[in-house]
Amino acid sequence: MKVSEFAKASGFAVFTSGEEREIESGYCGDFLSNIISRATDACCWLTVMNNVNVAAVATLIDCACIVLCEGVEPDAQLFERAKTAGIWILGANANVYETAKTVCRICGV
């Protein structure tokens, strides 16, 4: 499923939009070293981290989108970097577990 389709179907907030990508998998985590070594390309990355390092890791792992969970919003630096780099950042109010269930239900990943 394309990120734009997922954003619409999920009802998640759209903080930044980016390159139209296919979501092929999911990954939940906040330890950047784990994400770098374990997340796959084109994943939907669920996290509560909201600083500029998230954009750097998202670019490095080539994720399809980032979903900030638990009502977290991107800080100003993350917002600007994601806009510049064309990284999708979505926002969910639910915790990571409930958000992951929504991603699986909608995307089938």
Side-chain angles (χ1 to χ4, degrees):
M1 170 176 274
K2 300 273 188 205
V3 178
S4 62
E5 296 168 335
F6 170 68
K8 186 175 181 180
S10 67
F12 293 163
V14 177
F15 297 115
T16 61
S17 58
E19 178 186 342
E20 189 62 274
R21 303 277 308 277
E22 194 77 26
I23 297 171
E24 297 178 5
S25 65
Y27 193 85
C28 302
D30 299 318
F31 291 114
L32 299 181
S33 59
N34 282 16
I35 294 146
I36 290 167
S37 64
R38 297 178 182 165
T40 59
D41 293 353
C43 72
C44 175
W45 172 21
L46 282 62
T47 185
V48 295
M49 292 190 56
N50 69 339
N51 63 53
V52 72
N53 294 331
V54 170
V57 171
T59 301
L60 184 65
I61 65 170
D62 197 26
C63 72
C65 64
I66 301 163
V67 179
L68 300 178
C69 302
E70 300 184 12
V72 171
E73 296 184 7
D75 72 10
Q77 287 181 310
L78 173 56
F79 178 81
E80 288 303 320
R81 183 71 55 89
K83 255 178 50 175
T84 302
I87 300 169
W88 283 89
I89 300 181
L90 308 176
N93 289 322
N95 65 37
V96 175
Y97 176 75
E98 293 299 328
T99 303
K101 290 189 332 185
T102 299
V103 171
C104 291
R105 179 177 48 80
I106 294 172
C107 293
V109 295

